[in-house]
Amino acid sequence: MSIKVISVSKVYPNATGSVSSVYAIKNINIDINEGSYTFISGPTGSGKTTLLSLLAGIIYPSQGEIIFGDTHFPSDSDEKVSLFREKYIGYIPQNTFLINDFTVLENVLSPNLFLKRRIKQLKSSALILLEKLGLLNKKNANPTQLSGGEMKKVMIARALVKKPLYVIADEPFSELDNESINVVINIMNEEHKSGASIIFASHDPFTFGANADIYTLSKGQITEYRREVNDEPSELRMQA
Amino acid sequence: MFWNIVCLALINIKRKRLIFINYFVIAFFISQELFLINISTNLLRFPDFKAIQAFFYIIAFSVLFISIILLAAASTLFIRFRGQELGILRIHGVRKSDILFLSSFEIFFISLGGALAGTFCIILLILSKVLYLPYFFEGLKKLKLMKLIGLGGQTISGVVIIELIITMIIVSLLLKKDIPNLLRGSL
Protein backbone atom coordinates (compact mmCIF):
# COMPACT_ATOMS: atom_id res chain seq x y z
CA MET A 1 0.00 0.00 0.00
CA SER A 2 1.30 3.46 -0.81
CA ILE A 3 0.65 6.81 0.85
CA LYS A 4 -0.82 9.25 -1.67
CA VAL A 5 -0.63 12.95 -0.91
CA ILE A 6 -3.04 14.82 -3.18
CA SER A 7 -2.87 18.64 -3.46
CA VAL A 8 -2.26 18.98 0.27
CA SER A 9 -1.85 22.37 1.94
CA LYS A 10 -1.57 23.18 5.62
CA VAL A 11 -2.31 26.52 7.23
CA TYR A 12 -1.80 26.95 10.97
CA PRO A 13 -3.95 29.23 13.10
CA ASN A 14 -2.06 32.20 14.52
CA ALA A 15 -1.84 33.15 18.20
CA THR A 16 -5.22 34.90 18.17
CA GLY A 17 -6.88 31.72 16.94
CA SER A 18 -7.72 33.00 13.45
CA VAL A 19 -6.28 31.09 10.52
CA SER A 20 -3.24 32.89 9.09
CA SER A 21 -2.70 33.16 5.37
CA VAL A 22 0.82 31.76 5.66
CA TYR A 23 0.96 28.25 4.30
CA ALA A 24 3.31 25.84 6.09
CA ILE A 25 3.08 23.69 2.97
CA LYS A 26 1.17 24.41 -0.22
CA ASN A 27 -0.23 22.13 -2.90
CA ILE A 28 2.00 19.11 -2.28
CA ASN A 29 1.58 15.97 -4.40
CA ILE A 30 3.66 12.94 -3.43
CA ASP A 31 3.31 9.18 -3.78
CA ILE A 32 5.26 7.16 -1.23
CA ASN A 33 5.49 3.53 -2.22
CA GLU A 34 5.83 0.57 0.08
CA GLY A 35 9.45 -0.44 0.63
CA SER A 36 10.95 2.82 -0.66
CA TYR A 37 13.46 5.27 0.75
CA THR A 38 12.22 8.85 0.76
CA PHE A 39 14.39 11.75 1.81
CA ILE A 40 12.95 15.21 2.38
CA SER A 41 15.45 18.03 2.49
CA GLY A 42 15.14 21.77 2.76
CA PRO A 43 16.14 24.73 4.89
CA THR A 44 14.68 25.48 8.33
CA GLY A 45 11.04 26.54 8.08
CA SER A 46 10.55 24.97 4.66
CA GLY A 47 7.74 22.70 5.92
CA LYS A 48 9.57 19.39 6.41
CA THR A 49 8.15 18.70 9.88
CA THR A 50 4.63 19.67 8.76
CA LEU A 51 4.86 17.32 5.77
CA LEU A 52 6.10 14.43 7.92
CA SER A 53 3.39 15.07 10.55
CA LEU A 54 0.78 15.02 7.77
CA LEU A 55 2.16 11.77 6.36
CA ALA A 56 2.03 10.20 9.83
CA GLY A 57 -1.58 11.31 10.36
CA ILE A 58 -0.58 13.41 13.38
CA ILE A 59 -2.05 16.59 11.90
CA TYR A 60 -4.68 16.90 9.20
CA PRO A 61 -4.43 18.86 5.95
CA SER A 62 -6.27 22.17 5.64
CA GLN A 63 -6.83 21.44 1.96
CA GLY A 64 -6.34 18.31 -0.13
CA GLU A 65 -6.35 14.70 0.95
CA ILE A 66 -4.00 11.96 2.07
CA ILE A 67 -4.96 8.41 1.14
CA PHE A 68 -3.58 5.19 2.55
CA GLY A 69 -5.53 2.11 1.51
CA ASP A 70 -9.07 2.81 2.65
CA THR A 71 -7.97 5.47 5.14
CA HIS A 72 -8.55 9.04 3.98
CA PHE A 73 -7.68 12.00 6.06
CA PRO A 74 -8.99 14.52 7.00
CA SER A 75 -12.36 12.96 6.07
CA ASP A 76 -12.02 9.77 8.18
CA SER A 77 -12.70 9.59 11.90
CA ASP A 78 -9.97 10.07 14.49
CA GLU A 79 -10.48 6.42 15.46
CA LYS A 80 -9.62 5.22 11.96
CA VAL A 81 -6.59 7.51 11.58
CA SER A 82 -5.35 6.39 15.04
CA LEU A 83 -5.63 2.79 13.87
CA PHE A 84 -3.55 3.72 10.80
CA ARG A 85 -0.86 5.23 13.04
CA GLU A 86 -0.98 2.24 15.38
CA LYS A 87 -0.72 -0.41 12.70
CA TYR A 88 1.53 1.13 10.09
CA ILE A 89 3.44 4.15 11.36
CA GLY A 90 6.57 4.43 13.50
CA TYR A 91 7.10 8.15 14.02
CA ILE A 92 10.28 9.68 15.42
CA PRO A 93 9.67 13.35 16.29
CA GLN A 94 12.33 16.02 15.97
CA ASN A 95 12.06 17.15 19.59
CA THR A 96 12.64 14.85 22.51
CA PHE A 97 9.42 13.53 24.00
CA LEU A 98 9.86 10.90 26.69
CA ILE A 99 7.87 10.06 29.81
CA ASN A 100 10.14 11.00 32.69
CA ASP A 101 8.34 8.84 35.26
CA PHE A 102 9.10 5.70 33.26
CA THR A 103 12.35 3.82 32.71
CA VAL A 104 13.96 3.56 29.27
CA LEU A 105 12.40 0.13 28.67
CA GLU A 106 8.97 1.28 29.86
CA ASN A 107 9.23 4.30 27.55
CA VAL A 108 9.87 1.99 24.61
CA LEU A 109 6.99 -0.29 25.59
CA SER A 110 4.33 2.06 27.01
CA PRO A 111 2.65 3.26 23.78
CA ASN A 112 2.58 -0.33 22.58
CA LEU A 113 0.74 -1.66 25.63
CA PHE A 114 -2.50 -0.68 23.90
CA LEU A 115 -1.77 -2.91 20.91
CA LYS A 116 -3.34 -6.32 20.68
CA ARG A 117 0.06 -7.98 20.88
CA ARG A 118 1.78 -10.04 23.47
CA ILE A 119 3.81 -7.91 25.81
CA LYS A 120 6.45 -10.67 26.05
CA GLN A 121 7.05 -10.48 22.30
CA LEU A 122 7.28 -6.67 22.38
CA LYS A 123 9.63 -6.78 25.34
CA SER A 124 12.07 -9.09 23.59
CA SER A 125 11.99 -6.87 20.46
CA ALA A 126 12.55 -3.81 22.66
CA LEU A 127 15.53 -5.41 24.36
CA ILE A 128 17.09 -6.38 21.01
CA LEU A 129 16.67 -2.82 19.74
CA LEU A 130 18.10 -1.32 22.92
CA GLU A 131 21.08 -3.67 22.64
CA LYS A 132 21.71 -2.61 19.02
CA LEU A 133 21.50 1.02 20.07
CA GLY A 134 23.90 0.47 22.98
CA LEU A 135 21.32 1.23 25.65
CA LEU A 136 20.75 -2.22 27.14
CA ASN A 137 22.72 -1.35 30.26
CA LYS A 138 20.49 1.71 30.72
CA LYS A 139 17.15 -0.05 30.26
CA ASN A 140 16.18 0.67 33.86
CA ALA A 141 17.51 4.23 33.86
CA ASN A 142 15.28 7.27 34.04
CA PRO A 143 15.24 9.45 30.88
CA THR A 144 16.52 12.38 32.94
CA GLN A 145 19.76 10.43 33.43
CA LEU A 146 20.34 10.15 29.66
CA SER A 147 22.18 12.43 27.25
CA GLY A 148 20.32 14.09 24.36
CA GLY A 149 21.64 11.49 21.91
CA GLU A 150 20.59 8.61 24.14
CA MET A 151 17.09 10.06 24.46
CA LYS A 152 16.91 10.22 20.67
CA LYS A 153 17.89 6.55 20.49
CA VAL A 154 15.10 5.66 22.96
CA MET A 155 12.61 7.44 20.69
CA ILE A 156 13.97 5.52 17.71
CA ALA A 157 13.56 2.20 19.58
CA ARG A 158 10.03 3.20 20.64
CA ALA A 159 9.04 3.90 17.03
CA LEU A 160 10.57 0.69 15.65
CA VAL A 161 9.56 -1.84 18.31
CA LYS A 162 6.18 -2.60 16.72
CA LYS A 163 7.83 -3.23 13.28
CA PRO A 164 5.94 -0.51 11.40
CA LEU A 165 5.36 -0.54 7.65
CA TYR A 166 6.40 3.12 7.43
CA VAL A 167 9.17 4.63 9.53
CA ILE A 168 8.80 8.41 9.52
CA ALA A 169 11.73 10.19 11.12
CA ASP A 170 12.12 13.92 11.58
CA GLU A 171 15.82 14.81 11.86
CA PRO A 172 16.64 11.39 13.35
CA PHE A 173 20.37 12.04 13.41
CA SER A 174 20.36 15.34 15.26
CA GLU A 175 22.18 15.09 18.61
CA LEU A 176 23.86 11.82 17.52
CA ASP A 177 27.60 11.33 17.08
CA ASN A 178 28.98 9.68 13.91
CA GLU A 179 29.20 6.24 15.49
CA SER A 180 25.58 6.41 16.67
CA ILE A 181 24.46 7.73 13.29
CA ASN A 182 26.00 4.65 11.66
CA VAL A 183 24.22 2.37 14.15
CA VAL A 184 20.88 4.07 13.44
CA ILE A 185 21.51 3.93 9.68
CA ASN A 186 22.21 0.18 9.94
CA ILE A 187 19.00 -0.35 11.89
CA MET A 188 17.03 1.65 9.30
CA ASN A 189 18.63 -0.38 6.49
CA GLU A 190 17.61 -3.59 8.28
CA GLU A 191 14.04 -2.29 8.61
CA HIS A 192 14.08 -1.39 4.93
CA LYS A 193 15.32 -4.84 3.94
CA SER A 194 12.49 -6.39 5.93
CA GLY A 195 10.01 -4.39 3.84
CA ALA A 196 9.53 -1.08 5.69
CA SER A 197 9.45 2.26 3.91
CA ILE A 198 11.79 4.82 5.38
CA ILE A 199 10.81 8.47 5.14
CA PHE A 200 12.97 11.04 6.78
CA ALA A 201 13.87 14.68 6.83
CA SER A 202 17.38 15.78 7.59
CA HIS A 203 19.86 18.58 7.04
CA ASP A 204 22.72 16.06 6.89
CA PRO A 205 24.03 14.90 3.53
CA PHE A 206 23.30 11.28 2.61
CA THR A 207 23.83 9.06 -0.36
CA PHE A 208 21.39 6.38 -1.38
CA GLY A 209 21.38 3.14 -3.27
CA ALA A 210 18.60 2.34 -5.72
CA ASN A 211 15.00 3.56 -5.43
CA ALA A 212 15.59 6.61 -3.29
CA ASP A 213 13.17 9.49 -3.83
CA ILE A 214 14.60 12.84 -2.86
CA TYR A 215 12.36 15.86 -2.43
CA THR A 216 13.62 19.35 -1.74
CA LEU A 217 11.22 21.71 -0.03
CA SER A 218 11.39 25.47 0.03
CA LYS A 219 8.79 27.83 1.49
CA GLY A 220 6.30 24.99 1.77
CA GLN A 221 6.57 23.82 -1.83
CA ILE A 222 8.50 21.05 -3.57
CA THR A 223 11.16 22.79 -5.62
CA GLU A 224 13.09 19.72 -6.70
CA TYR A 225 12.49 16.00 -7.06
CA ARG A 226 15.03 13.44 -8.13
CA ARG A 227 15.29 9.71 -7.99
CA GLU A 228 18.69 8.26 -7.23
CA VAL A 229 19.19 5.08 -9.14
CA ASN A 230 22.30 2.98 -9.33
CA ASP A 231 23.28 -0.65 -9.22
CA GLU A 232 24.20 -0.68 -5.55
CA PRO A 233 21.82 -2.24 -3.06
CA SER A 234 19.16 0.08 -1.70
CA GLU A 235 20.64 1.37 1.48
CA LEU A 236 21.44 4.59 3.23
CA ARG A 237 24.98 5.79 3.84
CA MET A 238 26.55 8.93 5.18
CA GLN A 239 28.17 11.01 2.49
CA ALA A 240 31.95 10.91 2.68
CA MET B 1 -4.84 -5.47 26.34
CA PHE B 2 -7.34 -4.99 29.20
CA TRP B 3 -4.85 -6.18 31.82
CA ASN B 4 -2.04 -4.16 30.21
CA ILE B 5 -4.14 -1.01 30.68
CA VAL B 6 -5.05 -1.94 34.27
CA CYS B 7 -1.35 -2.52 35.07
CA LEU B 8 -0.37 0.74 33.36
CA ALA B 9 -3.03 2.58 35.42
CA LEU B 10 -1.61 1.15 38.68
CA ILE B 11 1.98 1.94 37.64
CA ASN B 12 0.92 5.50 36.74
CA ILE B 13 -0.69 5.97 40.17
CA LYS B 14 2.47 4.72 41.85
CA ARG B 15 4.88 6.79 39.73
CA LYS B 16 2.82 9.98 39.59
CA ARG B 17 1.79 10.07 43.24
CA LEU B 18 2.04 13.86 43.41
CA ILE B 19 -0.59 14.28 40.70
CA PHE B 20 -2.92 11.59 42.01
CA ILE B 21 -2.78 12.69 45.64
CA ASN B 22 -5.22 15.51 44.70
CA TYR B 23 -7.83 12.95 43.71
CA PHE B 24 -7.27 10.97 46.89
CA VAL B 25 -7.68 14.04 49.11
CA ILE B 26 -10.78 15.26 47.24
CA ALA B 27 -12.34 11.77 47.39
CA PHE B 28 -11.53 11.67 51.09
CA PHE B 29 -13.49 14.88 51.76
CA ILE B 30 -16.34 14.23 49.32
CA SER B 31 -16.93 10.81 50.88
CA GLN B 32 -17.19 12.33 54.36
CA GLU B 33 -19.73 14.89 53.19
CA LEU B 34 -21.71 12.32 51.23
CA PHE B 35 -21.73 9.99 54.22
CA LEU B 36 -23.04 12.80 56.44
CA ILE B 37 -25.78 13.52 53.89
CA ASN B 38 -26.67 9.82 53.66
CA ILE B 39 -26.69 9.26 57.40
CA SER B 40 -28.65 12.47 58.09
CA THR B 41 -31.26 11.34 55.61
CA ASN B 42 -31.48 7.94 57.31
CA LEU B 43 -31.20 8.80 60.99
CA LEU B 44 -32.74 12.24 61.32
CA ARG B 45 -36.18 11.52 59.98
CA PHE B 46 -38.45 12.86 62.69
CA PRO B 47 -39.88 16.41 62.42
CA ASP B 48 -37.92 17.44 65.58
CA PHE B 49 -34.68 16.95 63.71
CA LYS B 50 -35.60 19.00 60.64
CA ALA B 51 -33.44 21.97 61.68
CA ILE B 52 -30.40 19.78 62.39
CA GLN B 53 -30.92 17.92 59.17
CA ALA B 54 -31.11 21.21 57.24
CA PHE B 55 -27.92 22.41 58.93
CA PHE B 56 -26.12 19.22 57.92
CA TYR B 57 -27.41 19.42 54.40
CA ILE B 58 -26.22 23.02 53.97
CA ILE B 59 -22.73 22.29 55.34
CA ALA B 60 -22.37 19.01 53.46
CA PHE B 61 -23.68 20.32 50.14
CA SER B 62 -21.43 23.43 50.37
CA VAL B 63 -18.33 21.32 50.96
CA LEU B 64 -19.47 18.92 48.23
CA PHE B 65 -19.90 21.80 45.77
CA ILE B 66 -16.44 23.22 46.59
CA SER B 67 -14.92 19.74 46.29
CA ILE B 68 -16.46 19.27 42.85
CA ILE B 69 -15.00 22.60 41.67
CA LEU B 70 -11.63 21.53 43.09
CA LEU B 71 -12.02 18.23 41.28
CA ALA B 72 -12.53 20.00 37.94
CA ALA B 73 -9.43 22.12 38.64
CA ALA B 74 -7.43 19.02 39.61
CA SER B 75 -8.50 17.28 36.39
CA THR B 76 -7.36 20.26 34.31
CA LEU B 77 -3.98 20.22 36.08
CA PHE B 78 -3.86 16.45 35.66
CA ILE B 79 -4.12 16.78 31.89
CA ARG B 80 -1.79 19.77 31.75
CA PHE B 81 0.95 17.87 33.59
CA ARG B 82 0.35 14.81 31.47
CA GLY B 83 -0.26 16.51 28.11
CA GLN B 84 3.09 15.43 26.72
CA GLU B 85 2.60 11.84 27.86
CA LEU B 86 -0.85 11.69 26.26
CA GLY B 87 0.60 13.27 23.09
CA ILE B 88 3.29 10.56 22.96
CA LEU B 89 0.62 7.86 23.28
CA ARG B 90 -1.50 9.51 20.56
CA ILE B 91 1.50 9.75 18.17
CA HIS B 92 1.89 6.00 18.40
CA GLY B 93 -1.75 5.37 17.56
CA VAL B 94 -3.36 5.14 20.96
CA ARG B 95 -7.03 6.08 20.50
CA LYS B 96 -8.82 8.73 22.53
CA SER B 97 -11.13 6.01 23.83
CA ASP B 98 -8.10 4.03 25.10
CA ILE B 99 -6.80 7.12 26.93
CA LEU B 100 -10.24 7.64 28.48
CA PHE B 101 -10.23 3.97 29.45
CA LEU B 102 -6.78 4.33 31.08
CA SER B 103 -7.73 7.56 32.87
CA SER B 104 -10.97 6.03 34.14
CA PHE B 105 -9.07 3.12 35.68
CA GLU B 106 -6.59 5.47 37.32
CA ILE B 107 -9.36 7.65 38.74
CA PHE B 108 -11.40 4.61 39.77
CA PHE B 109 -8.55 3.13 41.82
CA ILE B 110 -7.46 6.39 43.45
CA SER B 111 -10.99 7.62 44.23
CA LEU B 112 -11.91 4.20 45.61
CA GLY B 113 -8.93 4.44 47.98
CA GLY B 114 -9.82 8.01 49.01
CA ALA B 115 -13.51 7.21 49.48
CA LEU B 116 -12.79 4.11 51.57
CA ALA B 117 -10.43 6.08 53.81
CA GLY B 118 -12.84 9.03 54.07
CA THR B 119 -15.88 6.90 54.90
CA PHE B 120 -13.95 4.88 57.46
CA CYS B 121 -12.68 8.09 59.11
CA ILE B 122 -16.11 9.74 59.34
CA ILE B 123 -17.59 6.58 60.90
CA LEU B 124 -14.73 6.61 63.42
CA LEU B 125 -15.30 10.32 64.12
CA ILE B 126 -18.99 9.74 64.80
CA LEU B 127 -18.38 6.64 66.92
CA SER B 128 -15.60 8.33 68.93
CA LYS B 129 -17.99 11.25 69.55
CA VAL B 130 -15.60 13.83 68.09
CA LEU B 131 -18.42 14.75 65.79
CA TYR B 132 -20.94 14.45 68.59
CA LEU B 133 -24.61 14.49 68.02
CA PRO B 134 -26.65 12.36 70.43
CA TYR B 135 -29.17 11.62 67.70
CA PHE B 136 -26.42 10.32 65.47
CA PHE B 137 -24.85 8.25 68.17
CA GLU B 138 -28.08 6.78 69.41
CA GLY B 139 -29.20 6.24 65.87
CA LEU B 140 -25.92 4.56 64.95
CA LYS B 141 -26.20 2.20 67.87
CA LYS B 142 -29.61 1.11 66.62
CA LEU B 143 -28.41 0.94 63.05
CA LYS B 144 -27.85 -2.59 61.86
CA LEU B 145 -24.38 -3.46 60.56
CA MET B 146 -25.72 -4.31 57.12
CA LYS B 147 -27.44 -0.93 56.88
CA LEU B 148 -24.19 0.81 57.88
CA ILE B 149 -22.27 -1.14 55.25
CA GLY B 150 -24.99 -0.24 52.76
CA LEU B 151 -24.65 3.47 53.59
CA GLY B 152 -20.86 3.19 53.29
CA GLY B 153 -21.15 1.42 49.94
CA GLN B 154 -23.62 4.03 48.70
CA THR B 155 -21.20 6.78 49.74
CA ILE B 156 -18.15 5.14 48.17
CA SER B 157 -19.89 4.39 44.88
CA GLY B 158 -21.25 7.95 44.84
CA VAL B 159 -17.76 9.41 45.26
CA VAL B 160 -16.24 7.16 42.60
CA ILE B 161 -19.05 8.05 40.15
CA ILE B 162 -18.71 11.82 40.84
CA GLU B 163 -14.91 11.72 40.34
CA LEU B 164 -15.19 9.56 37.23
CA ILE B 165 -17.84 11.70 35.56
CA ILE B 166 -16.09 15.02 36.18
CA THR B 167 -12.65 13.73 35.19
CA MET B 168 -13.95 12.04 32.05
CA ILE B 169 -15.71 15.24 30.95
CA ILE B 170 -12.51 17.29 31.42
CA VAL B 171 -10.23 14.66 29.83
CA SER B 172 -12.48 14.20 26.80
CA LEU B 173 -12.77 17.97 26.33
CA LEU B 174 -9.01 18.40 26.49
CA LEU B 175 -8.36 15.43 24.22
CA LYS B 176 -10.08 17.44 21.49
CA LYS B 177 -6.80 19.36 21.23
CA ASP B 178 -4.58 18.14 18.42
CA ILE B 179 -1.45 16.06 19.07
CA PRO B 180 1.18 18.85 18.61
CA ASN B 181 -0.68 20.97 21.19
CA LEU B 182 -0.80 18.05 23.62
CA LEU B 183 2.95 17.51 23.17
CA ARG B 184 3.68 21.18 23.78
CA GLY B 185 1.41 21.16 26.82
CA SER B 186 -0.36 24.25 25.46
CA LEU B 187 -3.91 23.59 26.56
Side-chain angles (χ1 to χ4, degrees):
Chain A
M1 274 191 283
S2 66
I3 300 179
K4 288 184 193 301
V5 178
I6 303 164
S7 305
V8 162
S9 302
K10 179 70 184 174
V11 187
Y12 287 109
N14 60 26
T16 57
S18 60
V19 176
S20 69
S21 56
V22 181
Y23 283 84
I25 60 163
K26 195 172 184 182
N27 200 27
I28 299 275
N29 291 284
I30 305 179
D31 259 16
I32 294 172
N33 297 314
E34 206 174 315
S36 63
Y37 252 124
T38 306
F39 178 49
I40 295 160
S41 68
T44 307
S46 57
K48 298 188 296 294
T49 299
T50 300
L51 181 56
L52 291 187
S53 302
L54 284 163
L55 288 171
I58 288 167
I59 53 172
Y60 293 164
S62 309
Q63 289 154 22
E65 192 177 29
I66 296 172
I67 303 172
F68 177 81
D70 64 342
T71 309
H72 298 234
F73 37 101
S75 53
D76 276 340
S77 65
D78 180 78
E79 185 93 354
K80 199 167 176 188
V81 179
S82 296
L83 193 70
F84 156 76
R85 283 199 303 272
E86 179 193 309
K87 280 175 97 171
Y88 303 109
I89 302 293
Y91 184 73
I92 304 160
Q94 184 178 12
N95 297 324
T96 306
F97 296 119
L98 292 173
I99 305 169
N100 286 336
D101 303 303
F102 285 175
T103 64
V104 166
L105 183 61
E106 286 166 344
N107 261 287
V108 175
L109 288 174
S110 61
N112 301 300
L113 290 175
F114 297 84
L115 304 178
K116 286 174 185 145
R117 290 187 202 174
R118 284 187 143 187
I119 191 74
K120 228 176 175 179
Q121 224 174 351
L122 281 169
K123 198 175 173 181
S124 63
S125 309
L127 290 172
I128 292 168
L129 271 168
L130 288 176
E131 189 176 11
K132 283 181 186 170
L133 289 161
L135 285 174
L136 194 59
N137 59 339
K138 294 193 174 176
K139 67 175 183 193
N140 294 322
N142 193 286
T144 51
Q145 297 167 317
L146 303 179
S147 68
E150 287 172 328
M151 287 192 208
K152 196 90 192 184
K153 286 183 192 173
V154 177
M155 294 203 299
I156 291 169
R158 186 175 62 194
L160 299 182
V161 73
K162 63 181 175 186
K163 298 270 170 209
L165 194 59
Y166 286 87
V167 178
I168 300 179
D170 193 357
E171 302 280 356
F173 309 115
S174 62
E175 301 184 72
L176 294 183
D177 55 48
N178 282 349
E179 197 186 328
S180 301
I181 290 176
N182 279 324
V183 171
V184 174
I185 285 173
N186 285 337
I187 291 173
M188 290 221 181
N189 285 332
E190 278 173 28
E191 291 292 319
H192 183 240
K193 275 175 197 158
S194 62
S197 303
I198 313 287
I199 308 162
F200 73 97
S202 179
H203 289 106
D204 304 312
F206 288 92
T207 57
F208 298 87
N211 302 324
D213 296 304
I214 300 157
Y215 295 91
T216 307
L217 279 180
S218 177
K219 293 178 184 170
Q221 289 183 304
I222 295 172
T223 51
E224 193 190 337
Y225 164 71
R226 67 194 161 92
R227 188 176 177 81
E228 268 197 20
V229 181
N230 56 43
D231 296 333
E232 292 172 46
S234 177
E235 64 177 29
L236 182 67
R237 291 179 295 277
M238 272 197 84
Q239 204 166 56
Chain B
M1 192 177 79
F2 175 82
W3 290 112
N4 286 350
I5 296 178
V6 171
C7 288
L8 189 60
L10 290 170
I11 292 170
N12 277 340
I13 291 172
K14 191 181 162 199
R15 301 280 170 84
K16 300 172 212 298
R17 294 186 278 280
L18 284 175
I19 298 176
F20 285 104
I21 194 85
N22 293 326
Y23 287 95
F24 185 89
V25 171
I26 292 169
F28 185 84
F29 285 112
I30 293 183
S31 61
Q32 297 193 345
E33 303 318 315
L34 263 186
F35 189 80
L36 279 181
I37 292 171
N38 283 338
I39 210 161
S40 306
T41 314
N42 276 276
L43 298 184
L44 306 175
R45 279 184 180 158
F46 301 112
D48 301 359
F49 303 145
K50 277 272 184 228
I52 300 164
Q53 196 180 35
F55 170 76
F56 262 98
Y57 277 177
I58 289 165
I59 298 289
F61 275 116
S62 306
V63 177
L64 199 63
F65 180 68
I66 293 166
S67 301
I68 288 170
I69 291 172
L70 282 175
L71 189 61
S75 301
T76 311
L77 280 176
F78 168 78
I79 286 295
R80 199 172 180 86
F81 283 128
R82 297 182 70 191
Q84 198 178 85
E85 180 189 337
L86 300 185
I88 291 169
L89 296 178
R90 298 275 293 129
I91 274 185
H92 292 278
V94 177
R95 285 172 285 266
K96 287 178 182 176
S97 54
D98 287 336
I99 291 177
L100 282 172
F101 198 40
L102 173 72
S103 305
S104 62
F105 271 119
E106 292 168 348
I107 300 305
F108 172 77
F109 289 129
I110 200 76
S111 58
L112 185 67
L116 272 169
T119 309
F120 187 66
C121 279
I122 194 76
I123 291 173
L124 279 185
L125 281 178
I126 293 169
L127 290 176
S128 61
K129 299 186 187 175
V130 174
L131 187 76
Y132 184 72
L133 270 179
Y135 323 106
F136 265 17
F137 195 61
E138 292 307 313
L140 267 180
K141 277 204 279 190
K142 286 177 200 159
L143 206 64
K144 286 181 181 162
L145 183 67
M146 286 313 288
K147 179 75 181 168
L148 193 65
I149 292 172
L151 283 177
Q154 201 180 328
T155 304
I156 291 164
S157 54
V159 173
V160 172
I161 289 167
I162 289 172
E163 287 218 343
L164 273 176
I165 289 174
I166 291 175
T167 313
M168 289 306 104
I169 290 170
I170 304 269
V171 172
S172 50
L173 280 176
L174 295 176
L175 275 176
K176 284 188 191 291
K177 291 274 176 190
D178 61 10
I179 297 172
N181 274 326
L182 279 175
L183 285 170
R184 279 194 292 269
S186 53
L187 304 171

